[in-house]
Amino acid sequence: PGSAQWPEGRWLKDHVWLQPAPERDGRFVIRGQQVGVFVTACTAGEGTLDIEGWTTRPLPAGATLVATPRKGGVAEVVFPVEPRSAPPGSQHGRQFFRARLPVGKLASPLDAASEIDRIVHAHHEFTWDVSLDPGAGGGRTRLAIAPATAGARVPHEGREVTAFVTHFGSLSLLERTVRPVVTGLEWVGEHDLVLRGDYTDPGTRPAGLILRHIRSGREHTLPLSWEDDVFTTHFTPGQMPAPAGTLPLPSGAWHLLVPAKEAGADAAMTVARRLLPTLPGYHRIGLHEVEAQPYHADALRLHVRLARGDDERGHYAVRQLRTVYYPAAAAAPIRELAVFDSFSSRHYACNPRAIYEELRRTHPDLECAWITDDGQFTVPGGTRLIPASSREHFDALAQARYV
């Protein structure tokens, strides 16, 4: 998370925030900041987001929490603050408070009836920054919060408000369409991907998810099993249903979406932000690698690519294999191997298929291999598939007796 220009900070203690800070003159410093307002609890109530915390500043009567929109033309929303007694053993000088934020005041209404407006509203996300205003002319202070405390979600009429932590350790609220949130993601065995999570609106639970390829629009449906508000889905990216049987997911990005009634209004599935640092990297399945990736902060997608070494990936690497590695490999002895390729390595078809099937009938002991662009076909007889432009591909071309 974060970036070179705006790196993410972290908590040292419950009141000290460490923030990496690149300077304009090229220096890189780490600043320690003692916060003035800290959230100790942020929980979901009945239609409210309940916040408790402390401040080092005086807390007079009339103090409020202020939700400030990041979008112009929208008014701030003010919530009363209730002082409370200090817990036993609390640090001297801290004033404790609680506040209940009715999420109906933050949820954006659907005030347009056209289909396009409903689709725009379904994809709309709105951010509010939360500050403590002591009143009486005192300056506002942003609420600080630890990642473990954030994450509460409260539904309201098809929308929900969720609390999250900014890169600077501050509390912000995100208002958007209700959607499932992944709270657990793991590979079971070598091939099965399991997603677990929860959903805040029992009346609109989806029966399944949509797995949609961004470039082609190809879709798969992933059924959800429910136990109370918790869902589970599992599938095998290397063996997905296809017209000709089962095939691996094609390379590219695959969005995980929640189906909606209005066409085009499918909502992106999200992942709990506390889970982001622990998402597993690329996982090898057959010829491919699959990785769960966040985008747009916490939306979730799968990225699929052919499994290649670092010296096989990219135009420069392929050129080196073709111009440097292949001539050296061609000096090795010829093998009794037949290599097949059809329609730029995309299909098991046409004349190469007919020749292959006849060779398998007449010379069953002859080793055969098919070159594949992305593993989107199967070959009978247990013949191995070789990724195009890989080191193994150039080895096969250099040493095969029949090509």
Side-chain angles (χ1 to χ4, degrees):
S3 65
Q5 184 176 5
W6 300 107
E8 185 179 34
R10 63 178 55 191
W11 290 105
L12 180 62
K13 298 180 179 179
D14 66 350
H15 64 289
V16 178
W17 175 256
L18 294 182
Q19 180 65 56
E23 301 290 334
R24 293 184 181 275
D25 60 4
R27 293 181 302 148
F28 186 86
V29 299
I30 298 179
R31 295 195 176 98
Q33 176 184 358
Q34 290 189 337
V35 300
V37 185
F38 189 76
V39 175
T40 57
C42 182
T43 57
E46 292 294 330
T48 63
L49 193 65
D50 300 338
I51 295 177
E52 297 182 2
W54 54 258
T55 176
T56 56
R57 303 175 62 182
L59 196 64
T64 58
L65 291 188
V66 181
T68 304
R70 291 188 186 177
K71 179 181 179 181
V74 179
E76 295 180 333
V77 182
V78 178
F79 305 95
V81 166
E82 174 188 349
R84 66 184 186 90
S85 57
S90 59
Q91 186 171 321
H92 179 71
R94 293 180 178 179
Q95 308 294 318
F96 290 81
F97 65 89
R98 67 164 58 96
R100 287 184 170 85
L101 284 57
V103 297
K105 293 185 177 182
L106 302 173
S108 56
L110 177 59
D111 53 5
S114 74
E115 182 177 348
I116 292 179
D117 289 329
R118 286 196 296 271
I119 293 173
V120 171
H121 186 257
H123 290 285
H124 178 72
E125 296 186 351
F126 200 81
T127 302
W128 301 81
D129 296 325
V130 186
S131 304
L132 176 66
D133 187 349
R140 296 177 179 177
T141 306
R142 285 291 304 276
L143 270 64
I145 186 172
T149 309
R153 307 191 332 270
V154 183
H156 178 79
E157 297 180 356
R159 307 284 288 182
E160 71 177 5
V161 174
T162 180
F164 71 95
V165 188
T166 70
H167 289 324
F168 304 102
S170 301
L171 171 66
S172 289
L173 306 178
L174 183 65
E175 186 266 336
R176 61 188 176 194
T177 302
V178 174
R179 62 197 64 192
V181 174
V182 174
T183 57
L185 184 153
E186 64 177 333
W187 291 97
V188 176
E190 296 184 1
H191 308 294
D192 294 338
L193 180 60
V194 178
L195 306 179
R196 298 182 180 88
D198 55 43
Y199 191 68
T200 59
D201 191 355
T204 60
R205 290 176 184 165
L209 303 175
I210 298 173
L211 184 62
R212 180 181 296 156
H213 193 249
I214 295 177
R215 176 171 294 183
S216 68
R218 184 184 305 182
E219 292 184 357
H220 294 282
T221 299
L222 308 178
L224 294 178
S225 59
W226 291 90
E227 184 175 345
D228 297 327
D229 295 333
V230 178
F231 69 85
T232 304
T233 185
H234 61 89
F235 60 101
T236 306
Q239 297 178 4
M240 301 298 288
T246 60
L247 290 173
L249 290 175
S251 294
W254 292 80
H255 281 174
L256 284 157
L257 304 171
V258 184
K261 296 180 180 179
E262 293 84 8
D266 302 328
M269 191 172 187
T270 58
V271 59
R273 298 193 182 213
R274 61 174 175 76
L275 202 63
L276 294 178
T278 62
L279 288 176
Y282 280 103
H283 183 85
R284 176 76 180 261
I285 304 178
L287 297 178
H288 292 85
E289 296 173 329
V290 182
E291 182 182 51
Q293 297 179 342
Y295 70 102
H296 293 169
D298 62 353
L300 186 65
R301 67 185 175 194
L302 299 182
H303 188 261
V304 183
R305 67 183 187 183
L306 282 173
R308 299 181 185 273
D310 292 339
D311 59 350
E312 299 174 292
R313 199 175 300 280
H315 295 295
Y316 174 79
V318 173
R319 185 169 66 248
Q320 290 295 104
L321 289 173
R322 184 175 60 250
T323 59
V324 178
Y325 180 77
Y326 174 76
I334 294 295
R335 297 165 48 197
E336 294 301 318
L337 169 67
V339 177
F340 297 84
D341 193 325
S342 178
F343 291 103
S344 300
S345 311
R346 291 187 174 90
H347 299 284
Y348 171 64
C350 207
N351 291 338
R353 172 176 177 172
I355 296 171
Y356 165 77
E357 292 178 351
E358 181 64 14
L359 273 177
R360 297 299 293 173
R361 186 183 69 83
T362 59
H363 298 75
D365 295 333
L366 179 64
E367 182 184 0
C368 297
W370 275 78
I371 308 303
T372 178
D373 176 64
D374 195 32
Q376 295 306 299
F377 60 83
T378 58
V379 179
T383 296
R384 65 189 172 109
L385 299 178
I386 298 177
S389 299
S390 64
R391 182 181 296 273
E392 187 180 6
H393 180 194
F394 287 105
D395 270 332
L397 292 180
Q399 300 171 19
R401 185 174 295 279
Y402 311 103
V403 178

